[in-house]
């Protein structure tokens, strides 16, 4: 049996592929464009594993995807591929429309062409799982209940608008053409192999490098954190048992203001890697200009997934963040690989604009 994963060299897709091949003896076709966020170093331990077939390519290349589907005949396609960083979408939304909307459309069309031609049993069993975000629901104020699957879509950033558009395409391909789709909408992930433009890995690596720890605005924006391997287990569960055409929220009930997250990272680093001069990492915190249109609070109600499919996360924020910091301390090779020229150039541009 075979599955096709797109975006499997990124943060969540990479963790998913590693987890999958650790647990199942099933081939994974991994289609990834290797943008700045794609990193084959994440998949290093799979070199020589015949069950992992890496294909360098774009989900928007309908001909390529059609060929891959005809050649490998997967029983499922899981779409992780996307431009994923909100700040980048503010500076340059074009790539987000191209991959997250046009690319998703081309992927859906290639998959539909493949699916209609499958024989009865295979057609019945086939699934297209689209990995999406809680940001499509917009922002919450302090007293609002967490997002359920029934919340209206109210995306606020170019990133979340592009993801919302792709969710709608997926929904329409089911409603109109009968394509057997599943969609997951997950809260903020963290864990190993996270590209250090995102808050948690950026703070860990900046702290260790003696650089400032940039906090947007007042730092009281709330995110709902989930350890990446728990997101992967939720996707596996939805793929296995989710009801076709349904959407499932994924989250770990771990709401935290950004400033608290940064303080937690600083105190774990104080313990694991105390500074030689006796100063504390939190002294590196610097408040910087806020993100334009910054959503104030996200919170996920994951009860549908828990109740209907019996999923539960394994990590609390406290256990997951410690594991994550330990991973970054132990994996300097991977870190060195991502802190390339291109990455430094981006960070320079981002914080110059905000200063
Ligand atoms: P990421 O940016 O780390 O990885 C994206 C991967 O997709 C990279 O390997 C990149 O090379 C690849 N890619 C980009 N454009 C492509 C294209 N046109 N064709 C093929 N491959 C392409 O992203 P991530 O954080 O791993 O997120 C994965 C998915 O999960 C995204 O769809 C994102 O919207 C969603 N999501 C992320 C989070 C989070 O907290 N990171 C939370 C919820 C949902
Ligand atoms: O909610 C799910 C989403 O989480 C995913 O769909 C996105 O792909 C993913 O990037 C993430 O989006 P966020 O914008 O929430 O993540 P980010 O790590 O960029 O920021 C987390 C919070 O920290 C946010 O409120 C902005 C703030 N922040 C971020 C950076 C990079 C800072 O205060 N300083 C920073 O330098």
């Amino acid at each position: 049996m075979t599955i096709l994963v797109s975006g499997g060299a990124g943060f969540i897709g990479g963790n998913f592929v590693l987890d999958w091949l650790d647990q199942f003896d099933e081939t994974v076709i991994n289609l990834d464009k290797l943008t700045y966020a794609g990193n084959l170093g994440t998949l290093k331990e799979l070199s020589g594993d015949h069950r992992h077939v890496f294909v360098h390519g774009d989900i928007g290349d309908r001909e390529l995807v059609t060929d891959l589907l005809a050649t490998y005949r997967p029983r499922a396609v899981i779409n992780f591929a996307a431009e994923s960083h909100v700040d980048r979408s503010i500076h340059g939304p074009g790539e987000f429309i191209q991959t997250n909307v046009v690319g998703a459309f081309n992927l859906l069309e290639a998959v539909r062409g493949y699916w209609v031609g499958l024989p009865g049993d295979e057609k019945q069993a086939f699934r297209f799982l689209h990995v999406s975000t809680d940001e499509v629901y917009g922002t919450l104020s302090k007293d609002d209940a967490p997002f359920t699957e029934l919340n209206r879509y109210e995306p606020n950033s170019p990133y979340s608008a592009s993801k919302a558009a792709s969710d709608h395409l997926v929904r329409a391909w089911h409603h109109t053409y009968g394509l057997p789709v599943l969609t997951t909408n997950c809260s903020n992930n963290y864990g190993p192999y996270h590209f250090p433009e995102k808050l948690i890995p950026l703070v860990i690596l900046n702290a260790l490098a003696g650089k400032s720890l940039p906090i947007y605005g007042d730092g009281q924006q709330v995110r709902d954190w989930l350890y990446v391997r728990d997101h992967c287990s939720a996707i596996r569960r939805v793929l296995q048992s989710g009801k076709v055409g349904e959407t499932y929220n994924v989250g770990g009930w771990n709401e935290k203001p950004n400033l608290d997250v940064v303080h937690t990272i600083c105190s774990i680093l104080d313990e694991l890697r105390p500074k030689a001069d006796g100063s504390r990492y939190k002294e590196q915190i610097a408040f910087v200009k806020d993100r334009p249109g910054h959503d104030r609070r996200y919170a996920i109600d994951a009860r549908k997934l828990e109740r209907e499919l019996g999923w539960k996360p394994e990590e609390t924020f406290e256990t997951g963040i410690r594991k994550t910091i330990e991973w970054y301390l132990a994996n300097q090779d991977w870190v060195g690989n991502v802190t390339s020229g291109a990455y430094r150039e981006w960070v320079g541009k981002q914080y110059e604009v905000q200063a």
Side-chain angles (χ1 to χ4, degrees), residues 286-354:
F287 288 88
V288 301
K289 196 173 158 201
D290 209 351
R291 172 186 281 175
H294 199 169
D295 284 339
R296 194 69 180 164
R297 173 178 167 235
Y298 304 139
I300 274 284
D301 182 333
R303 277 179 295 183
K304 177 178 173 185
L305 178 58
E306 293 166 0
R307 192 180 57 241
E308 294 183 11
L309 305 186
W311 173 84
K312 279 244 173 305
E314 278 187 10
E315 303 293 340
T316 62
F317 185 70
E318 288 64 32
T319 58
I321 194 70
R322 186 171 280 276
K323 267 192 180 177
T324 302
I325 294 170
E326 285 168 351
W327 185 88
Y328 277 92
L329 289 173
N331 286 275
Q332 289 302 310
D333 282 2
W334 186 89
V335 169
N337 182 21
V338 294
T339 47
S340 65
Y343 167 66
R344 279 197 296 276
E345 199 182 294
W346 155 251
V347 170
K349 187 170 148 209
Q350 164 68 1
Y351 293 106
E352 185 193 329
V353 170
Q354 296 200 336

Side-chain angles (χ1 to χ4, degrees), residues 7-13 31-39 57-60 79-84 99 131-134 159 163 186-189 194 198 231:
F11 165 49
I12 305 173
L31 170 66
D32 197 294
K33 190 178 171 185
L34 295 180
T35 66
Y36 77 94
N39 185 349
D58 194 318
I59 54 165
N79 180 33
F80 292 93
E83 288 294 335
S84 69
T99 283
V131 178
S132 192
T133 171
D134 60 357
Y159 162 70
K163 290 296 290 184
C186 189
S187 60
N188 284 63
N189 284 214
H194 205 180
K198 307 278 167 47
H231 186 190

